[in-house]
Amino acid sequence: MTVSNSLTTEELALIFEGDQTQPMYVYQDTVPAELQVLKSNCIAIDPQDANVKMLIARMFKTVTDGDRAGVGIAAPQVGLNRRLFLVKRFDKANEPFEFFINPQITWYSAVLQQGEEGCLSIEDRYDAVYRSLAVQITYFDLEGNHYQEVVEGYTAVIIQHEYDHLNGILFTDRIEEQEQRKYEDATLETPLVYEV
């Protein structure tokens, strides 16, 4: 897949604004202009654009910033409607943060899990959301190499939350949507066993 979506002058100004060693400002749902960005669909980004590396570095600094630290962050949360997010990999040794450029979730498991979620863009709200237990995701790295993997558990939840951001969906939207549905608890006679 060849992507030719170069960053705009305005986007570059945002990435290089102020001290590049500091976290970026996180857009909030309480500010109408910022909510408009958060609720917009994102477009692809050129993984080989040299400036994407700086964007990833600044997003990492933002998501790991002290009291406001999170487990994932998407580009629209820092003002760029681009298809890029970072996720903490609880499914890997040392729980590293990894970036996903132009990700696409190609499969969602029918089995769901419910867990409490919050968001750096929505202050002081945590609520239960149903998410698929596992997803299959494709994405690119900085060299334009394409990857595909299946992710399960809490990391899959984070991926779905961040992926929603790229489509203008907040976790509060999912809560409203899910209030209209009915779910059944599945009781397993034999517990699930995960090989490590």
Side-chain angles (χ1 to χ4, degrees):
M1 176 182 176
T2 304
V3 179
S4 60
N5 291 306
S6 299
L7 292 162
T8 66
T9 304
E10 293 80 12
E11 289 171 326
L12 291 171
L14 194 58
I15 294 168
F16 289 96
E17 183 177 56
D19 182 350
Q20 285 110 52
T21 66
Q22 294 302 307
M24 297 177 80
Y25 172 76
V26 177
Y27 279 39
Q28 299 297 306
D29 71 330
T30 52
V31 181
E34 295 175 11
L35 180 61
Q36 185 175 355
V37 173
L38 293 169
K39 299 289 281 179
S40 297
N41 282 313
C42 295
I43 61 172
I45 190 169
D46 181 355
Q48 295 178 290
D49 184 322
N51 300 297
V52 173
K53 191 172 184 180
M54 174 59 81
L55 174 57
I56 290 168
R58 293 208 67 194
M59 287 174 64
F60 175 75
K61 186 75 173 174
T62 305
V63 76
T64 58
D65 182 37
D67 293 339
R68 291 282 298 158
V71 294
I73 191 168
Q77 292 182 271
V78 293
L80 285 85
N81 283 125
R82 295 296 186 145
R83 301 191 73 79
L84 166 68
F85 60 69
L86 276 68
V87 165
K88 189 168 188 178
R89 296 298 300 257
F90 287 95
D91 58 335
K92 292 188 174 182
N94 303 316
E95 302 176 353
F97 269 92
E98 292 183 356
F99 59 87
F100 295 75
I101 299 173
N102 300 329
Q104 180 73 38
I105 295 180
T106 57
W107 171 80
Y108 292 84
S109 70
V111 176
L112 305 178
Q113 58 187 335
Q114 185 183 39
E116 189 173 84
E117 292 184 27
C119 183
L120 295 176
S121 294
I122 303 173
E123 283 198 61
D124 303 321
R125 177 153 183 202
Y126 299 88
D127 218 325
V129 184
Y130 285 99
R131 301 281 187 184
S132 290
L133 180 65
V135 294
Q136 180 173 284
I137 187 168
T138 65
Y139 59 95
F140 293 86
D141 66 14
L142 289 167
E143 285 73 48
N145 298 312
H146 189 248
Y147 298 91
Q148 175 179 292
E149 65 177 302
V150 173
V151 183
E152 299 178 339
Y154 186 46
T155 304
V157 169
I158 304 167
I159 285 172
Q160 290 168 82
H161 179 111
E162 302 308 332
Y163 186 74
D164 273 353
H165 272 300
L166 305 187
N167 298 313
I169 300 168
L170 302 176
F171 86 95
T172 48
D173 299 322
R174 288 292 183 208
I175 292 167
E176 289 176 19
E177 167 192 293
Q178 291 171 4
E179 284 173 350
Q180 308 303 315
R181 298 182 185 173
K182 290 186 180 180
Y183 296 89
E184 291 182 22
D185 287 332
T187 308
L188 299 174
E189 293 178 14
T190 308
L192 292 174
V193 178
Y194 295 96
E195 293 185 10
V196 181

